[in-house]
Amino acid sequence: MSSNHVLLDDKTQKLLFREARTANTFTAEPVGEEQIQALYDLVKWAPTSFNQQPVRVALIRSEEAKSRLVPLMWDTNQGKTAGAPLNAVLAADLEFHENLPEQFPVFPQAKDVFFAEEEARVESALLNATLQIGYFILGVRAVGLAAGPMSGFYADKVSEEFFPGGRHRALLVVNIGKPGPDAWYDRMPRLAYDRVFTSH
Amino acid sequence: MSSNHVLLDDKTQKLLFREARTANTFTAEPVGEEQIQALYDLVKWAPTSFNQQPVRVALIRSEEAKSRLVPLMWDTNQGKTAGAPLNAVLAADLEFHENLPEQFPVFPQAKDVFFAEEEARVESALLNATLQIGYFILGVRAVGLAAGPMSGFYADKVSEEFFPGGRHRALLVVNIGKPGPDAWYDRMPRLAYDRVFTSH
């Protein structure tokens, strides 16, 4: 299923996409801080609107922090969350615009022109933080780890627990580690091209 | 800036992240349908919640379709939209759950258990379509093209024009092609690791 239009070699295509799988179990092997730093140093270059970079990440490693996260996951996600050596809680900073003059120096007024109004700001923060979460998931794979993304958790409680103060919204929790035994389901079907794309 | 924790070779790291840039101008060289098919055949494997795959894409190539899209972009985005050989309008299918028994056969009841209620369904569609848009942007780069993602457009009008009927919401428009002269700004700063990540 490789393609000569794709410029990535087969090994990379498999690592990031074709053979990468959502892991539901993990080994106990720890994930090093330097692996996550390397991941970020790669994926931080991917684009966001006005270079706004609203994603914020709480890394959950300690038993104490895990004991606060696990009960805030839906029942079906508690076991795998507890079993992963690292969990990342990925959130949007809804006040990202405060940094914007630094992040988008070509038009520092963007902070006030486009994002003074809360509704537009929140919508943009959610869109761009979620794009960054997509980049992050592929980044986990790029450093040779398995990702287990989960949207099933009590978002308001997770936001308050790990990003207190009300300016962040937790969007996804990702389990990270080396896959354990029986780590995944059978591969599930993907929509055919013609069901996704229309030409105009 | 390469890293021995990252398993991608230097060429791939540059292609996808380190040297990839948001293009604002494009050459006239057309983008082949088979390039977009190859892109999708790669990125379709990246994960979504319950394998829901809510993204839908309108590909704008004809002069007639471009003449309908360009006026619905913000002023500052009209010239680059008109100048790209291909534009992709990426939207969320807010009724994605209709396909869910087919897409998530391990728990076909998910359609009704989790997504019967509109608010939860829309939230999930927006999250997952946006993750898929992140994968798509990297996919554009993986087939050797430049992407120019834009959130500045009249979303309700674009949704109605290219996804009539009210069940879709346009989230991003991406210009696609080979970069033209003076295609990009200087590289803008990225947030330092410690401003994005906290450890718990």
Side-chain angles (χ1 to χ4, degrees), chain A residues 90-112:
Chain A
L90 296 118
D93 177 0
L94 308 180
E95 306 286 339
F96 70 87
H97 67 315
E98 290 179 3
N99 296 326
L100 213 55
E102 174 193 342
Q103 299 311 124
F104 196 68
V106 295
F107 186 64
Q109 306 91 318
K111 173 187 172 186
D112 301 309

Side-chain angles (χ1 to χ4, degrees), chain A residues 13-21 141 184 187, chain B residues 45:
Chain A
Q13 293 187 36
K14 290 175 180 170
L15 179 75
L16 296 181
F17 295 105
R18 299 189 195 281
E19 294 188 355
R21 305 294 305 281
R141 295 167 167 191
W184 32 70
R187 181 64 105 174
Chain B
W45 296 115

Side-chain angles (χ1 to χ4, degrees), chain A residues 1-3 5-9 11-13 15-18 20 22 33-62 64-65 68 74 76 99 102-106 114 123-124 126-128 130-131 133-139 141-145 149-151 155 161-163 169 171-172 185-200, chain B residues 1-3 5-9 11-13 15-18 20 22 33-62 64-65 68 74 76 99 102-106 114 123-124 126-128 130-131 133-139 141-145 149-151 155 161-163 169 171-172 185-200:
Chain A
M1 287 296 287
S2 176
S3 151
H5 292 288
V6 176
L7 304 188
L8 314 183
D9 64 27
K11 181 175 133 273
T12 303
Q13 293 187 36
L15 179 75
L16 296 181
F17 295 105
R18 299 189 195 281
T22 288
E33 177 77 11
E34 66 287 358
Q35 286 177 283
I36 305 300
Q37 288 174 354
L39 180 173
Y40 179 66
D41 184 58
L42 182 70
V43 303
K44 70 182 181 185
W45 296 115
T48 54
S49 308
F50 297 95
N51 195 35
Q52 65 186 244
Q53 308 168 65
V55 84
R56 297 294 179 272
V57 187
L59 297 173
I60 313 296
R61 293 174 192 284
S62 70
E64 179 276 326
R68 293 187 283 127
W74 289 4
T76 48
N99 296 326
E102 174 193 342
Q103 299 311 124
F104 196 68
V106 295
F114 297 116
E123 187 181 5
S124 194
L126 298 179
L127 177 80
N128 284 285
T130 306
L131 290 177
I133 294 171
Y135 309 144
F136 180 91
I137 290 170
L138 297 180
R141 295 167 167 191
V143 297
L145 296 168
M150 298 172 292
S151 54
E161 186 67 38
F162 293 101
F163 299 93
R169 189 176 305 172
L171 296 171
L172 207 73
Y185 301 127
D186 290 341
R187 181 64 105 174
M188 283 186 280
R190 296 303 194 266
L191 290 170
Y193 182 84
D194 291 345
R195 292 174 69 181
V196 176
F197 290 80
T198 54
S199 284
H200 302 266
Chain B
M1 286 298 286
S2 176
S3 151
H5 292 289
V6 176
L7 305 187
L8 315 182
D9 63 28
K11 181 175 133 272
T12 304
Q13 293 186 37
L15 179 74
L16 296 181
F17 295 104
R18 298 190 196 279
T22 288
E33 177 77 11
E34 67 286 357
Q35 285 177 285
I36 304 301
Q37 287 174 354
L39 179 172
Y40 179 65
D41 184 57
L42 182 71
V43 302
K44 70 182 182 186
W45 296 115
T48 54
S49 308
F50 296 96
N51 194 34
Q52 65 184 246
Q53 307 168 66
V55 85
R56 297 294 179 270
V57 187
L59 297 174
I60 313 296
R61 293 175 193 283
S62 70
E64 180 276 326
R68 293 187 284 127
W74 290 3
T76 47
N99 296 326
E102 174 194 342
Q103 299 311 123
F104 197 69
V106 295
F114 297 116
E123 187 181 6
S124 195
L126 298 179
L127 178 80
N128 284 285
T130 306
L131 290 176
I133 295 172
Y135 309 145
F136 180 90
I137 291 169
L138 297 181
R141 296 166 168 191
V143 297
L145 296 168
M150 299 172 292
S151 54
E161 185 68 38
F162 294 102
F163 299 92
R169 190 177 305 173
L171 296 171
L172 207 72
Y185 301 126
D186 289 341
R187 181 65 106 174
M188 284 185 280
R190 296 304 193 266
L191 290 169
Y193 181 84
D194 290 346
R195 292 175 68 181
V196 176
F197 290 81
T198 53
S199 284
H200 302 265

Side-chain angles (χ1 to χ4, degrees), chain B residues 168-186:
Chain B
H168 297 84
R169 190 177 305 173
L171 296 171
L172 207 72
V173 179
V174 181
N175 296 327
I176 302 174
K178 296 280 189 185
D182 291 323
W184 32 70
Y185 301 126
D186 289 341

